[in-house]
Amino acid sequence: MLKSTLNFTVTGRFLRYVTIDTQSDPNSDTFPSTEKQKNLGRLLVNELITIGLHDAHIDDYGYVYATVPSNSDKSNIPVICFCSHMDTAPDCSGEGVKPIVHQNYQGQDIILPGDNSQIIRLSEHPDLKNQLGNDVITASGTTLLGADNKAGVAEIMDACYQLMNHPEIKHGKIRILFTPDEEIGRGVDKVDIEKLGAYAGYTMDGESLGNMENETFSADGAKLTINGVSAHPGFAKGKMQSAIKIAGQIVAALPHDLSPERTEGKHGFVHPVSICGHVETAEIDFIIRDFDDEKLGKHAEIIREVAETVIARFPGSSYHLDIKPQYRNMKKMLDQHPEIVEYGMEAMRRAGLEAKLCSIRGGTDGSRLSFMGLPCPNIFAGEHAFHSKQEWVSVQDMQKAVETILHLCAIWEERT
């Protein structure tokens, strides 16, 4: 079996990477949004060069590119790419991460020592039932862990190490891409697809062991600007129309059944993510999600209808709604290249897993890459409870992800 020949390095790499703060910033106008993301990028470049990927480099935008050269006699093997993002989410601090390895997990609730109120309960994290006897990694309770997506980064790095040290695993040319700013929706804004030169890609950014995601939300962003009427509060009767209060009424009037907390599966939502403003002007930022592109427009119209109904109560006030596309359901592109998903499923089965094809209520770099000419499904990385202080991943799941990558490389060589 492949596993018996491998000396895994994924755990050590992961524990090293999560201590580097790479949090992205949605309020920044720079690219990458935070310069500190390049600290991890530079470390990865050095490690890739040490492994033997001598073309590894980081560009001005913070992208890391590298190549595992082909070791096959076949010259026509399609180039495939493995991709993960280096940044962590703005939702929770990523500074001073202290990873803890809970060895031989036996089903107990895990109390995090940095904050005893942070308890990873078996009842709330059902996938822990599949980790009995495994080694579970958490943070200390005061930060996120960063498994999203440094688990994927570590898995790809270990796979590069294995490929360079196991020439018996025949494969074509493999391209590596590590991206910044995925968590704020800018992960592939500056990626050079021509330079990457790959036929197919795989993001390592999924959740549970054995899952492959070939379908994501389609996504739009919406900004609703409300123009109220300002007046001195001491003389405001019959005059003032507070944009802040109008914004509050609009949010309150949105359909409750169209909210994230009331939807699941293939059902989309409209979600106000921020409100800011003053008496005269206020802004509400929304994210709009659905698996069906047509429904995105209908969800946007609901925002517009609610705004018009509320604004009608305030003569003299007005609103403007601006809709911007963010990403689209990658299934449309992947269905045109079915072998990309088929080979991924076969790779997981060769790793001894029960392969499951899933949809994700979110997006990955692969969503946009698929529409940029690089069809790119999403493979499990083992991360759970992402964007929170209770984030966790298991050593054994990461090792299985490495095995899956190696089998996938071999399958593309075999099937050519």
Side-chain angles (χ1 to χ4, degrees), residues 267-342:
H267 298 286
F269 57 75
V270 171
H271 181 40
V273 293
S274 70
I275 301 178
C276 63
H278 308 278
V279 171
E280 192 168 43
T281 305
E283 292 180 343
I284 311 173
D285 285 315
F286 295 87
I287 58 173
I288 306 171
R289 302 290 187 264
D290 209 287
F291 288 92
D292 185 337
D293 289 1
E294 185 178 340
K295 290 182 179 179
L296 284 180
K298 294 180 180 179
H299 297 337
E301 280 306 306
I302 288 174
I303 298 175
R304 191 183 307 278
E305 290 168 5
V306 169
E308 287 183 354
T309 299
V310 172
I311 288 288
R313 305 172 197 154
F314 299 90
S317 295
S318 62
Y319 79 92
H320 174 73
L321 181 63
D322 184 32
I323 308 291
K324 290 187 176 180
Q326 293 179 328
Y327 57 85
R328 289 295 180 262
N329 188 342
M330 61 186 176
K331 191 174 189 300
K332 178 179 179 180
M333 306 308 295
L334 289 171
D335 283 350
Q336 300 175 32
H337 306 274
E339 76 281 6
I340 297 173
V341 172
E342 290 171 7

Side-chain angles (χ1 to χ4, degrees), residues 122-286:
L122 180 62
S123 60
E124 297 172 357
H125 299 263
D127 204 55
L128 281 173
K129 295 177 182 177
N130 300 318
Q131 303 299 335
L132 299 181
N134 288 348
D135 305 314
V136 176
I137 305 176
T138 71
S140 62
T142 60
T143 66
L144 50 65
L145 175 61
D148 179 14
N149 184 227
K150 289 168 185 172
V153 172
E155 290 154 7
I156 293 172
M157 291 292 291
D158 188 16
C160 291
Y161 172 83
Q162 305 298 344
L163 289 171
M164 296 301 291
N165 284 275
H166 290 275
E168 70 274 14
I169 304 174
K170 296 302 178 183
H171 58 84
K173 180 179 176 180
I174 310 296
R175 290 288 276 159
I176 306 302
L177 175 66
F178 297 127
T179 66
D181 286 347
E182 189 268 356
E183 295 290 5
I184 59 173
R186 306 175 196 167
V188 297
D189 281 5
K190 304 290 185 179
V191 72
D192 190 333
I193 290 292
E194 185 176 351
K195 173 181 174 179
L196 201 58
Y199 167 77
Y202 297 89
T203 50
M204 303 298 298
D205 193 16
E207 187 180 22
S208 298
L209 185 71
N211 283 3
M212 169 177 276
E213 294 152 348
N214 70 331
E215 187 172 16
T216 62
F217 271 143
S218 287
D220 284 345
K223 182 183 291 291
L224 182 66
T225 303
I226 301 155
N227 299 304
V229 179
S230 181
H232 188 290
F235 306 91
K237 186 174 181 179
K239 300 175 184 177
M240 180 185 289
Q241 296 180 5
S242 171
I244 297 173
K245 293 181 179 179
I246 295 172
Q249 291 190 33
I250 290 172
V251 171
L254 291 170
H256 292 284
D257 290 341
L258 199 61
S259 63
E261 59 269 31
R262 298 288 292 271
T263 54
E264 61 183 351
K266 291 291 189 72
H267 298 286
F269 57 75
V270 171
H271 181 40
V273 293
S274 70
I275 301 178
C276 63
H278 308 278
V279 171
E280 192 168 43
T281 305
E283 292 180 343
I284 311 173
D285 285 315
F286 295 87

Side-chain angles (χ1 to χ4, degrees), residues 333-403:
M333 306 308 295
L334 289 171
D335 283 350
Q336 300 175 32
H337 306 274
E339 76 281 6
I340 297 173
V341 172
E342 290 171 7
Y343 293 176
M345 298 290 281
E346 174 62 20
M348 289 189 286
R349 288 190 287 267
R350 289 192 187 186
L353 304 176
E354 181 180 348
K356 182 180 179 183
L357 200 57
C358 307
S359 302
I360 179 174
R361 287 176 61 82
T364 71
D365 277 339
S367 302
R368 290 181 60 197
L369 287 171
S370 293
F371 285 87
M372 294 169 67
L374 184 67
C376 194
N378 192 36
I379 295 177
F380 76 93
E383 58 209 43
H384 292 271
F386 25 78
H387 301 193
S388 78
K389 296 176 182 178
Q390 297 186 16
E391 190 180 11
W392 61 272
V393 67
S394 84
V395 169
Q396 288 74 15
D397 285 3
M398 289 194 295
Q399 291 175 347
K400 281 295 182 184
V402 175
E403 287 185 56

